[in-house]
Amino acid sequence: MLCAWSRYHSFVDSPSTNVAMALLVKLSLTVFLVLSHLASISSHGTHSTHYTIDSNVNETALDKYLNRCMAGISHKDFPGPEPNLHDQCAPWAERACCDPVTTFQFHTHETWYNFDWNHCEKELSASCQRWMVQDLCFYECSPNVAPWLVEHRISIRDERFVGVPLCKSECDLWFSACKNDYTCKDDWSKGWNWTTGTNKCPEGSQCSTFQDTFETAENFCQNLWGGSFEVVDDEEQCMFLWFSGDVNPNDEVALRKALELLETGGQSRIESWTCLVLSIATVFLSLFIS
């Protein structure tokens, strides 16, 4: 309603406009209630996966966030069962954006997309490398990142995820496993020397421990891949790079984010239509009392 206020405020001070103002207020309330009701009944039914979805949620719109994979050269178009995922990627077997061949290859190859974790003279420790593989499993296999995808056109993908909420406890364990290992960069997503075909430390950089490079676990998790993750407290909705059992705890996090995005989009549309209708009504009322 605020969008129309400045337009009719100039003439509401006149006694002759009482009737017009009453009509405008009544129209405002009617438009708001109607549009709100339309937004709440936009669709019906439940989603085809194991998610619990309110019957008023638009199923097709929700699919955009819950039933598609990142646009990458090794990703499937849509998540589905993959019972033979290799080793550390096994948790995603029930519903994955990767296939067994992909997971086997990056478990056994020294590099993936020509990226070498061991870019300093001293190779990563086994514990740190295990976490890096776990991070790669999440990147390739997770069916839960669509609500955080943005366009990012490079040779290996057309999208990337930004700001995925990572549980603080998960981040702390990852950093603890790697803090005594070595790197020459505080952002692995850009700035490498690729002249040899694999990533090399840029000229002038020096290798130092992850502890010295990042200082804190939060800085490490949030900056390592250029903002892909945002560290949040475990009490909040957050994701894990590893889980066990048949239930993926990240499903609920993605669902809540998707519903939040749809609700925000729906509210924006309501406000836009309300402003448009009220603006038109204000013009007519202005003519009526002139």
Side-chain angles (χ1 to χ4, degrees), residues 47 49-51 63 65-68 76 78-83 85 90-98 141-144 243 246 248 251 254:
H47 198 263
T49 71
H50 58 273
Y51 298 106
D63 262 349
Y65 295 118
L66 300 182
N67 196 36
R68 79 173 183 93
K76 301 190 303 185
F78 304 100
E82 293 288 352
L85 296 181
W92 283 272
E94 293 294 321
R95 190 165 174 268
C97 282
C98 57
C141 300
S142 177
N144 305 123
F243 53 90
D246 296 332
N248 180 347
D251 286 349

Side-chain angles (χ1 to χ4, degrees), residues 2-269:
L2 291 177
C3 62
W5 173 257
S6 62
R7 294 190 179 183
Y8 75 80
H9 184 267
S10 60
F11 60 82
V12 295
D13 293 332
S14 170
S16 64
T17 62
N18 288 341
V19 174
M21 186 169 66
L23 289 173
L24 182 58
V25 171
K26 183 178 293 187
L27 178 62
S28 300
L29 291 173
T30 302
V31 169
F32 179 79
L33 291 174
V34 169
L35 291 176
S36 297
H37 180 65
L38 290 175
S40 69
I41 59 172
S42 59
S43 65
H44 59 84
T46 57
H47 198 263
S48 58
T49 71
H50 58 273
Y51 298 106
T52 301
I53 306 298
D54 185 274
S55 59
N56 289 331
V57 173
N58 187 300
E59 191 172 343
T60 301
L62 200 59
D63 262 349
K64 181 178 71 172
Y65 295 118
L66 300 182
N67 196 36
R68 79 173 183 93
C69 300
M70 184 192 309
I73 61 174
S74 298
H75 292 79
K76 301 190 303 185
D77 291 334
F78 304 100
E82 293 288 352
N84 298 314
L85 296 181
H86 191 68
D87 198 4
Q88 290 175 239
C89 298
W92 283 272
E94 293 294 321
R95 190 165 174 268
C97 282
C98 57
D99 59 39
V101 173
T102 295
T103 60
F104 177 78
Q105 287 178 338
F106 68 69
H107 271 85
T108 56
H109 290 188
E110 292 184 2
T111 65
W112 187 242
Y113 304 132
N114 295 322
F115 187 89
D116 188 359
W117 297 315
N118 302 307
H119 42 267
C120 289
E121 291 184 4
K122 188 176 181 180
E123 292 187 356
L124 295 186
S125 63
S127 59
C128 182
Q129 184 160 328
R130 185 166 182 82
W131 273 94
M132 294 302 178
V133 171
Q134 203 61 57
D135 168 56
L136 193 49
C137 284
F138 183 92
Y139 169 82
E140 295 286 0
C141 300
S142 177
N144 305 123
V145 299
W148 293 271
L149 289 178
V150 298
E151 185 175 301
H152 185 69
R153 296 187 179 276
I154 59 176
S155 60
I156 62 172
R157 62 174 183 254
D158 291 334
E159 295 175 311
R160 60 165 296 194
F161 54 82
V162 176
V164 168
L166 181 67
C167 296
K168 184 179 184 302
S169 61
E170 195 86 335
C171 175
D172 289 343
L173 290 171
W174 188 2
F175 184 61
S176 178
C178 294
K179 65 182 181 180
N180 294 322
D181 290 274
Y182 286 81
T183 184
C184 59
K185 281 181 53 58
D186 60 1
D187 182 351
W188 287 8
S189 68
K190 60 184 179 180
W192 296 98
N193 179 353
W194 289 96
T195 56
T196 63
T198 59
N199 59 304
K200 299 296 181 183
C201 294
E203 185 177 353
S205 64
Q206 294 182 340
C207 289
S208 59
T209 65
F210 281 68
Q211 178 72 68
D212 290 338
T213 301
F214 295 99
E215 297 185 351
T216 68
E218 182 175 341
N219 284 339
F220 165 70
C221 294
Q222 294 186 164
N223 296 326
L224 182 68
W225 292 116
S228 291
F229 294 109
E230 178 183 355
V231 178
V232 301
D233 290 335
D234 285 32
E235 291 75 18
E236 301 180 36
Q237 288 290 311
C238 59
M239 294 196 179
F240 292 90
L241 301 183
W242 172 267
F243 53 90
S244 58
D246 296 332
V247 177
N248 180 347
N250 299 334
D251 286 349
E252 180 69 17
V253 184
L255 170 59
R256 291 192 178 218
K257 182 63 174 180
L259 293 176
E260 176 187 319
L261 292 171
L262 291 175
E263 179 181 354
T264 301
Q267 184 62 34
S268 297
R269 287 190 293 273

